[in-house]
Amino acid sequence: MTNCNDCQQHRDSQRILPDWKRVFVNRQEFLKLLSLTLGGLISAVAVIPGFAFLVNYLFTHSGDKWIALGPKDKFKEGETVDVVFDDPAAQPWDGCSARRSVWLRRDENDKFTAFAITCTHLGCPVKWEAGPQLFMCPCHGGVYYNNGDVAGGPPPRPLRRYPIRIKDDVIEISVGQFLPET
Amino acid sequence: MKLLDNVINWLDDRTGLKAPIIDTLTHLVPPGAKWAYVFGSAVLTALLVQLVTGVALATVYVPSGGEAFDTILYITTQAPFGKLVRGMHYFGASAMIVFAVIHMAQVYLWGAYKYPREVNWLSGVALLFFTVAMGFTGQILRWDQNSVWTVAVGAEQALRAPFVGDLISKFLVSGKTVGGTTLSHFFALHVFIFPGLLLALLALHLYLVLKNGISEPPLPGKLVDPATYREKYHAMLHRIGKPFWPDAAWRDMVFSSIVVAGILACAVWLGPPAIEKPPDPSLVDAQPRPDWYLVWYFAILALLPHKAEDPIIILFPIFLAVTLLSVPFLSNKGERSFKRRPWAVAIVIFALGSITALTYEGFKEPWTPKFDAVPLTQEIVGSGSGPISSGAGTFADKGCLYCHTISGHGGKRGPDLTDVGERLTQEQLTLRIVNGGYNMPAYGGNITPKELQDLTTFLESRKTHKPIVFSITDVEKQRISAIAQDGIAEIKLGELAKSKARNDGVKSFAQKMVTEHTIAATEMQNAANEMKFALPDEMNDEQKKLFVELNSLDGRQFEDKYMQEILKAHAGAVSVIGDEARDGTGAFKTWAQNTLVTIKRHHHKAQTIIQSEQTQ
Ligand code: FES
């Protein structure tokens, strides 16, 4: 290796990344830059749409619809019942996994509350026990009063509630967002 | 054979793979590794079972929210070999986790993660993570009620993380709520993404095993020095190394055969995990639980004090990951043998011990309300009408039984109330029921005064302690009576001596006799009450005679006689109370044991007084 030019060329070709200072003066360095750029583009074109599709649920908004739970006279005062409905965001092939339910309480006349069935501890479904008038969680024994407040056990917060309205004497809820805690 | 040789030679000529394959198979390994080194290959074997059975299952399974459950049911109940293959896939996963953990413990104890094998360890930790992740995602693909709620529970935990919680939870359920989208995303993870990453990591892991060589069994005192380790290792291999095939490989093969046989046997006899109710999130009657290898973590979540929850739910997984990943950086040289690393041994024992204990608790689930508690029978309640009986009714109606056990019926969430009547009064009970406690709801708002009254009456009647009646023998009866009469005599004579004696020593001794024997007599009466035994209430004839005789004496004569008689009486008492303390029963025996010291002291004191009188 007496030829100095050879040395330089040999060293350059051993390096994967281009020598950034010489990318526009040396052909080999430029080709490295070109190939790297194209490789990045290919990956981006393949990955970005694929990934975006994979997480497309982040871009859908369908939760703000009002869901009818039935005429208000169906519900007796002082009672809490389990009302089943279909997730408005679901697809036809979701089958029974599209079904949802809510604990609906009618305190008096037009005073309704819709409780999410998930325990605020770790999300197990709570059960309403009419005898003691309590919601009980099967997982770690979390207990809530009939107004959703924590009565005992590990849950850190009261049961979550959905926005609710009465339209033409029909009870409707919206499951997009929970009501703020009072 | 000629043909086969020709084919091989042709292939080798065009690929050049023959030499590398042979080199790999026969690479030198340290001798003496023996059976401790078979666990890694056991995981690999179980993984092969997973790949085959997994691909097979994927030919029928339909990853849609509406159909997955039905296809799993079809695989399990109708498809030929379906049950077997599902069972193998389940127990294969269990085997991977079990042997991966054992493999890891072994590598840690043998110090095999030290220089130059740090990256072997890191890739192993990542492999363990993906193995557990495969297990978890696989459990979700079962897509029954338990799967649905297991994801929901996972998402709820993610929500606890600050800032990113909401996003993580959305990633986990693929949207806002668990549904069909959740399943199809879990399918992609379980079938493409995780296996791809896992296989890539596995390739790295195996490459590193070849590159860095299998670690030699550690010798206490033989330290790892990064400057010289490689050189010494290779010198050792050349001196005493054995070819991997077949000198070491045969053990791997034997052990792996046992593992596969075990997977097959479990699949045949135990079968795949039962399919529960359909994945309908509106069925609120669910009790989600992870598969067995995560039950310990589930138990931690249940047992945490409420206040500590948020930080632990967030920090514990991070802590685990950081700890495992930092192992080779904390100590990558020096001593390898566990005989000189007591902390390593302690850590492994502690970790495995707590996981076992937590798993046990997790399966017992004492924190879960027992919604299907068997009602109390009339026999347990002890009455078929009246307040006690209606109180027992309230106890069941108000859900008390879900959390409290009475005579073996009921849940274990709250304290056992079988004998609460012995611990708490009715007022205390009322207070607790009305105001509630840490885990107990306050019932003040939804119980009528009458219900409360009956309930506490019922609870107050919960007593198991029955007074134990001792039958005492005639011998003991006589002995007890005699002791009691001795006691009366001591008091009577003491009182006499107090008024008659002039010597100060005798006077104060007599006073002591009166006080201390009165105390002893009271205690004895208590014992007698407990033992239901009537004590005599006056002296016997001899003692009466003695009293009269002493009464007729005066001065020094009285004092001498009194002291002599007391000495005699106490000598007798020491022996008879000693007998009682040794052979007696129940409260009398206890009394005798407690009193014996006092009587001995009296005896000794009497002796000293008599001696000092005589020397005067
Ligand atoms: S999930 Fe409800 S108490 Fe833990």
Side-chain angles (χ1 to χ4, degrees), chain A residues 54 93 100 121 129 145 160, chain B residues 66 156 160 185 309 402 442:
Chain A
L54 198 64
W93 53 84
R100 304 283 179 269
H121 177 224
E129 293 289 325
Y145 295 116
R160 287 175 278 233
Chain B
E156 194 74 38
R160 302 279 185 112
H185 282 77
E309 250 166 14
Y402 296 157

Side-chain angles (χ1 to χ4, degrees), chain B residues 570-608:
Chain B
H570 275 88
V574 166
S575 118
V576 71
I577 295 180
D579 287 350
E580 177 62 25
R582 194 180 58 242
D583 310 327
T585 38
F588 282 136
K589 182 181 185 146
T590 321
W591 175 86
Q593 284 164 343
N594 293 339
T595 314
L596 191 55
V597 201
T598 320
I599 303 300
K600 279 184 176 160
R601 204 160 20 81
H602 292 173
H603 183 230
H604 183 72
K605 181 88 189 164
Q607 270 173 334
T608 354

Side-chain angles (χ1 to χ4, degrees), chain B residues 97-292:
Chain B
I97 288 174
V98 169
F99 292 115
V101 169
I102 296 179
H103 179 49
M104 188 178 224
Q106 184 267 326
V107 164
Y108 181 64
L109 287 174
W110 263 241
Y113 62 90
K114 298 198 175 192
Y115 179 90
R117 302 186 180 84
E118 294 97 328
V119 184
N120 297 43
W121 172 271
L122 296 179
S123 57
V125 170
L127 280 169
L128 179 67
F129 168 79
F130 279 109
T131 306
V132 175
M134 283 298 281
F136 182 76
T137 48
Q139 188 198 341
I140 305 309
L141 294 198
R142 223 174 282 154
W143 206 236
D144 55 6
Q145 193 186 41
N146 196 33
S147 308
V148 167
W149 286 108
T150 305
V151 191
V153 167
E156 194 74 38
Q157 283 174 51
L159 273 183
R160 302 279 185 112
F163 313 118
V164 288
D166 191 51
L167 196 64
I168 300 181
S169 126
K170 275 195 180 130
F171 277 131
L172 209 53
V173 301
S174 310
K176 269 217 177 81
T177 46
V178 182
T181 338
T182 316
L183 175 67
S184 40
H185 282 77
F186 268 90
F187 180 76
L189 281 176
H190 185 80
V191 174
F192 301 110
I193 302 173
F194 286 170
L197 293 171
L198 192 138
L199 290 178
L201 275 166
L202 178 64
L204 172 67
H205 198 68
L206 291 179
Y207 162 76
L208 290 171
V209 169
L210 288 172
K211 154 125 180 84
N212 293 324
I214 292 174
S215 72
E216 71 280 20
L219 288 175
K222 196 160 166 254
L223 307 184
V224 174
D225 176 4
T228 56
Y229 180 82
R230 280 206 156 106
E231 209 178 308
K232 280 193 191 157
Y233 178 78
H234 285 114
M236 177 274 297
L237 277 192
H238 283 292
R239 220 172 49 249
I240 50 170
K242 295 261 165 24
F244 172 71
W245 178 270
D247 289 55
W250 74 270
R251 284 200 184 84
D252 289 316
M253 297 313 275
V254 170
F255 190 71
S256 287
S257 311
I258 298 174
V259 170
V260 172
I263 293 175
L264 191 66
C266 289
V268 170
W269 281 306
L270 303 175
I275 299 289
E276 296 182 12
K277 290 180 218 159
D280 178 347
S282 74
L283 299 176
V284 289
D285 226 334
Q287 209 166 328
R289 177 176 316 122
D291 277 350
W292 68 267

